[in-house]
Amino acid sequence: MGYRQARWEEPLILEMGGSGRRGYTLPPIEPGVVEEVGSLSIPEEVKRKEHPRLPEVSEVEVVRHYVRLSQMNYGVDSGPLPLGSCTMKYNPKLPLRYLNDSSFTMLHPYQDEETVQGILEILYEMQEWLKHITGMDVCTLHPSAGAQGELAGVLAIRAYHDVKGNEGKDEIIVPDSAHGTNPASAAMAGFKVIEVPTAPDGNVDMDALKSAVSESTAGLMITNPSTLGLFEEKILEIADLIHSVDGLLYYDGANLNGIMGYARPGDMGFDIAHVNVHKTFGAPHGGGGPGAGPVCVKDREVGGGLRLSDLLPGPVVVKEGGKYRVKWPEPPAPGALRGTIANTGVILWGYVYILLSGPQGLREATEMAVLNTNYFLHLMREEKAYSLPYGEGRWRKHEAVLSAGPLKEETGVTAKDVAKALLDRGFYAPTVYFPLIVPEALMIEFTESETLENIEAYAAALREIAEEARRDPQRLQRSPFNTSVARVDDVKANHPRSVTPTWRVYRLRREGRIGPLR
Ligand SMILES: *Cc1c(COP(=O)(O)O)cnc(C)c1O
């Protein structure tokens, strides 16, 4: 059920403790060390003028401070977190046993290959499993997230056309339901982005797509099931259309958990696909990381003795004569995207998730995710405050996008107000205002993790909020009341500088320039 976050004013760690208070004791400084450091010629301009402002607190103060902060927070380990598209599934704890084991923690990414055959074997096996799951031929585990996998993929598309001498291929087609990273990745790789609309049945509008496709089409990026949770029924036709102008199909794998074990991008005509290990395979994520976005390709021939896998901007672990070896990309492949093979910790987490699940477990995860979504929609079918745009009468896969449009029309209460009111009831809010084609969008994804009771309680909370909106909309527009932080400035909160160093907050508070957070 819901989890009420603790609600209090927590001081900054700099505002706690007292001068000289310590949580540790260090051995005395060895004779000669001070003189030795003093003799180093450190340039004057880089030397500190004052002592750094460090917290002076005892161990128990530190522990209590961070435990209290954690209780003001909300995560998958405290209650339902149905953030659509993000796939916030429960993260099994068993992988921690291996991640914390010194045979893993003591490895260095630049160690000689001979000495890290064990982890290379794991990475090799993971590549093999992902090939099997996606229906592709070659995988690199290299990219650090789905978005970087997309960039790797579109750079490979560019290299494909360069090698083939295809002139004027400078357009990537993206449906209007796409995640923002798709057009961003295409643009970063130097392509023009051509948007195609979604038809009322939830599939890509085929007429619009046909008129968008031309000799300039370098490729198409699409996720299936879409961000509406709907399976793209015309995918084979779409693949033929794109291939007919020698374009490549890129699969955004963020929604793989809606079909895993049942359908594979490789069988749908896709040439390149990424996988979000931190979504589909249960590695913890949030707040921007950490992630892993392996990219898999069909090993089609490109010409000049090259294959598509030769154009991947990431290393592949290969097995030769019983030994594992890392094969780094070489021109004409775009260069590597990071300094090391992969975010190995995240890969290892996903590896253990797949190992624990087995093929049958992965299929069951998909089944549960789909069942949970459709059961939730069944519970919501009578509630007129929320509509279900696109694909009327169609089953959803792993997620569904409701619109609070009718509620707003009737009461003035918006999707954002609904999200805040859910926090008051001890639930995490869904993804709001995405995909952009659904007004007042509430994008809900329970994953395989959620219990029947939690789904029923969540649906009940949404219905209750609609009731309250009809009775007292003003109160809802002021919510939340039960959280430590209420409404923040959305624009400022999105700004990179919203991550203000603690010492700066401390100074601003002391000068009376900012008050408490609420
Ligand atoms: C999360 C997501 C991405 C981006 O993946 P990251 O791993 O967050 O970089 C792309 N597309 C969709 C549909 C997503 O949900």
Side-chain angles (χ1 to χ4, degrees), residues 83-87 144-150 177-182 185 222-227 250 252-255 274-279 285 288-293 398-399 434 443 445:
L83 209 52
S85 209
C86 299
T87 312
S144 307
Q148 205 181 29
E150 293 170 25
S177 60
H179 194 260
T181 50
N182 293 184
S185 304
I222 192 170
T223 176
N224 193 16
S226 69
T227 58
Y250 183 88
D252 173 347
N255 296 330
H274 84 244
V275 171
N276 304 63
V277 175
H278 46 290
K279 292 180 178 174
H285 65 130
H398 62 299
E399 65 194 356
F434 173 73
M443 187 189 207
E445 175 177 15

Side-chain angles (χ1 to χ4, degrees), residues 180-195:
T181 50
N182 293 184
S185 304
M188 271 184 83
F191 289 106
K192 255 187 278 176
V193 178
I194 309 292
E195 195 179 274

Side-chain angles (χ1 to χ4, degrees), residues 215-422:
E215 285 306 315
S216 306
T217 305
L220 169 129
M221 300 176 87
I222 192 170
T223 176
N224 193 16
S226 69
T227 58
L228 297 165
L230 288 164
F231 190 84
E232 175 52 64
E233 294 166 311
K234 310 237 175 78
I235 190 60
L236 295 176
E237 203 184 319
I238 293 172
D240 285 345
L241 183 61
I242 300 298
H243 286 149
S244 73
V245 294
D246 200 17
L248 296 182
L249 269 88
Y250 183 88
Y251 180 80
D252 173 347
N255 296 330
L256 183 64
N257 64 315
I259 53 169
M260 174 175 63
Y262 280 89
R264 313 189 304 171
D267 300 331
M268 296 175 207
F270 284 96
D271 303 288
I272 311 176
H274 84 244
V275 171
N276 304 63
V277 175
H278 46 290
K279 292 180 178 174
T280 308
F281 300 118
H285 65 130
V295 171
C296 304
V297 295
K298 279 277 189 205
D299 212 12
R300 50 191 283 176
E301 248 177 85
V302 180
L306 291 168
R307 312 187 74 88
L308 195 50
S309 65
D310 295 320
L311 303 179
L312 274 175
V316 175
V317 179
V318 293
K319 192 176 176 183
E320 286 170 355
K323 290 262 191 241
Y324 297 95
R325 197 171 66 74
V326 186
K327 198 171 139 243
W328 286 87
E330 282 169 28
L337 300 172
R338 45 177 287 148
T340 58
I341 303 175
N343 249 357
T344 313
V346 181
I347 298 286
L348 184 57
W349 197 298
Y351 176 89
V352 178
Y353 178 93
I354 296 175
L355 199 58
L356 284 173
S357 307
Q360 191 53 33
L362 294 183
R363 279 171 73 92
E364 279 168 21
T366 306
E367 286 164 14
M368 282 311 297
V370 173
L371 192 59
N372 281 348
T373 302
N374 289 287
Y375 179 57
F376 168 72
L377 290 177
H378 167 77
L379 296 171
M380 295 302 292
R381 75 197 180 288
E382 303 284 330
E383 179 51 72
K384 298 289 171 254
Y386 311 101
S387 61
L388 183 62
Y390 294 100
E392 198 182 327
R394 289 183 62 187
W395 295 102
R396 263 52 183 174
K397 290 285 179 281
H398 62 299
E399 65 194 356
V401 184
L402 294 176
S403 167
L407 181 71
K408 186 179 171 192
E409 188 121 318
E410 189 187 338
T411 66
V413 166
T414 63
K416 177 163 143 180
D417 301 328
V418 172
K420 303 290 184 195
L422 279 165

